[in-house]
Amino acid sequence: MSLLMPARLTHRKQQTERIYGRQTPWLGVDVGTHSIKLAVVTRNRRGQWNLDYAQRIPWPKDAEPFSSADRFGEALHEVLRQAESVWRTKNLTQVAFSLPSSAVSTQDLCHDADDLATIHTTATQTIREIYGSRPEKLAFDVWRPDPVEDSFADPPTSQLLWAEPDVVKNCVEVFRDCRLTAEILDMPPLTTARASEMLEGARESELIVDWGVTRLTLTWILKGRPRFTRYSIQSGVADLVQSINDAQDLTSTDTELVLARYGLPADTISGFNRTIEKTAADSLEVLLDEIDCTLTYLGTRYPRRTIDRIVLSGGGAAIRNLDYWLTSQIGIDSVQWMLPFGDGQATWQSLDPIPLFAHAASLSGLGYES
């Protein structure tokens, strides 16, 4: 059986009805290019999600985990050992994971799903442009999602998942060595859609702005399903952090703490808020431009649809008052991705902001799917 098949299963599981009873959560593992983020979520009988555990662990120094599949497996094993006591204590046995340079494409593939040669050509072109990955190292899984119950929906299109089989295989083997069973491989924007549904007051039509270190990803979610994804590989929050480092003579760690504590101007404005806004003006302008371009495209393509809310996730979402500032600039209600703490507050081992763990929490939430 293909190791990529569980991703198809994950997609179908999203369409099923949730079970709100007591179940064993899964360990969500979001494997990133700079760190690994782990999360465990719980769900009460009223259907409310809580964050029970979250931890970000950077890759070992000089590990170069993505130089080869073997190096990746060794580095992953070293990182997971640092958090092994968590799933031992919580009796976790199942894990769902995601990988960098892998994703599910929501781009319209206007070909029959059986026309794999044509889809492969389209996919490799997209992968080179967006991710810079080497398509010859990748494997693909193609399927047709169930149609959205929407009178304005486009005709059914194919969706595509890609990943490196050697890396996936090493992941599964490392998890097995840690006495964890890995059966689900899931990717953005499917994880993004599920993360948005975890929030209270989820809207029918939302734009998820995932502002990562090196890349900005914008995903339109309609009725819990991703309908459009746009990437900007030159718009990560790293540029903003670097500009403040240079202006204030701070380290990156200090700058992240300053952004989380003070952030942008809001109701209570200090001179330092204004200093941050002025120093970060170029990066904030890029963010606004990317959001505006996305909203313009969606308004043209789907004129009878409006965006009800913007949800911010990723490292950039940790900037204090960014949601308030964005609402004032764009005029659309904006919120940080945020879950309340559950009963396991004692296992909270991270000073990192909660929006960083949106994907990992989404993966953990698969344990509550029917």
Side-chain angles (χ1 to χ4, degrees):
M1 183 181 73
S2 168
L3 286 170
L4 300 181
M5 289 300 290
R8 182 183 301 197
L9 172 63
T10 301
H11 177 80
R12 290 178 177 170
K13 285 160 75 74
Q14 291 186 38
Q15 316 308 319
T16 61
E17 183 178 359
R18 270 66 169 173
I19 296 178
Y20 299 137
R22 295 183 63 185
Q23 292 180 290
T24 302
W26 289 1
L27 177 67
V29 181
D30 178 16
V31 180
T33 54
H34 296 85
S35 64
I36 293 180
K37 291 170 280 290
L38 311 173
V40 176
V41 296
T42 55
R43 194 172 196 178
N44 62 30
R45 294 185 181 277
R46 291 172 297 183
Q48 297 172 322
W49 292 99
N50 295 307
L51 190 60
D52 194 52
Y53 158 75
Q55 185 174 5
R56 177 172 67 164
I57 306 175
W59 287 109
K61 190 176 181 180
D62 301 325
E64 298 182 359
F66 300 102
S67 59
S68 70
D70 290 338
R71 294 288 294 273
F72 172 80
E74 293 171 2
L76 178 62
H77 198 282
E78 182 177 341
V79 167
L80 289 177
R81 285 179 59 188
Q82 298 181 45
E84 189 170 1
S85 61
V86 173
W87 61 79
R88 291 277 187 267
T89 303
K90 294 179 175 295
N91 297 318
L92 302 177
T93 59
Q94 297 281 343
V95 60
F97 66 103
S98 65
L99 295 169
S101 73
S102 302
V104 174
S105 174
T106 54
Q107 179 182 0
D108 293 346
L109 300 176
C110 301
H111 313 289
D112 190 281
D114 294 329
D115 185 7
L116 296 182
T118 306
I119 288 179
H120 185 279
T121 301
T122 304
T124 53
Q125 210 169 13
T126 302
I127 292 165
R128 281 197 182 96
E129 291 174 357
I130 296 176
Y131 291 96
S133 299
R134 295 172 55 190
E136 61 271 15
K137 297 172 60 179
L138 304 178
F140 303 90
D141 190 15
V142 182
W143 72 95
R144 237 182 243 292
D146 298 329
V148 177
E149 295 179 3
D150 177 15
S151 58
F152 309 122
D154 289 340
T157 56
S158 300
Q159 288 193 329
L160 170 80
L161 174 132
W162 62 83
E164 294 187 36
D166 290 344
V167 173
V168 174
K169 182 179 178 181
N170 278 357
C171 268
V172 173
E173 291 176 349
V174 170
F175 288 132
R176 186 184 299 122
D177 290 342
C178 295
R179 299 180 185 178
L180 291 168
T181 302
E183 294 183 347
I184 295 294
L185 168 66
D186 199 9
M187 305 294 180
L190 300 183
T191 53
T192 308
R194 197 164 51 250
S196 72
E197 285 192 302
M198 286 181 161
L199 302 179
E200 288 200 32
R203 311 291 176 80
E204 181 176 87
S205 175
E206 296 185 325
L207 182 67
I208 314 301
V209 179
D210 189 10
W211 200 8
V213 175
T214 59
R215 185 175 65 194
L216 175 68
T217 306
L218 304 102
T219 304
W220 177 42
I221 308 295
L222 176 64
K223 296 183 177 181
R225 287 274 298 277
R227 296 300 311 278
F228 171 80
T229 302
R230 184 168 181 266
Y231 303 93
S232 179
I233 58 176
Q234 302 296 332
S235 306
V237 73
D239 292 338
L240 185 151
V241 171
Q242 188 60 51
S243 64
I244 296 178
N245 289 353
D246 297 339
Q248 303 294 327
D249 194 22
L250 299 172
T251 66
S252 294
T253 300
D254 290 338
T255 296
E256 290 172 3
L257 291 173
V258 165
L259 290 171
R261 181 174 180 179
Y262 296 99
L264 299 172
D267 292 332
T268 303
I269 300 176
S270 69
F272 199 44
N273 294 131
R274 290 298 187 193
T275 299
I276 292 174
E277 183 182 31
K278 184 177 180 179
T279 306
D282 290 344
S283 295
L284 293 172
E285 187 66 29
V286 171
L287 174 66
L288 286 176
D289 287 345
E290 294 295 339
I291 294 176
D292 184 62
C293 287
T294 304
L295 294 174
T296 300
Y297 170 80
L298 293 175
T300 303
R301 180 74 183 274
Y302 306 95
R304 301 177 68 177
R305 284 289 175 190
T306 58
I307 300 298
D308 302 322
R309 184 170 73 170
I310 294 175
V311 178
L312 302 167
S313 66
I319 299 174
R320 186 174 182 179
N321 299 327
L322 178 62
D323 50 351
Y324 179 93
W325 183 86
L326 201 57
T327 300
S328 66
Q329 296 291 320
I330 296 181
I332 299 176
D333 183 31
S334 303
V335 298
Q336 283 184 320
W337 188 92
M338 188 77 65
L339 291 182
F341 295 111
D343 295 333
Q345 293 185 47
T347 62
W348 176 260
Q349 300 182 17
S350 176
L351 296 176
D352 295 303
I354 293 178
L356 277 175
F357 299 98
H359 294 289
S362 170
L363 292 164
S364 175
L366 285 170
Y368 290 83
E369 300 275 356
S370 59

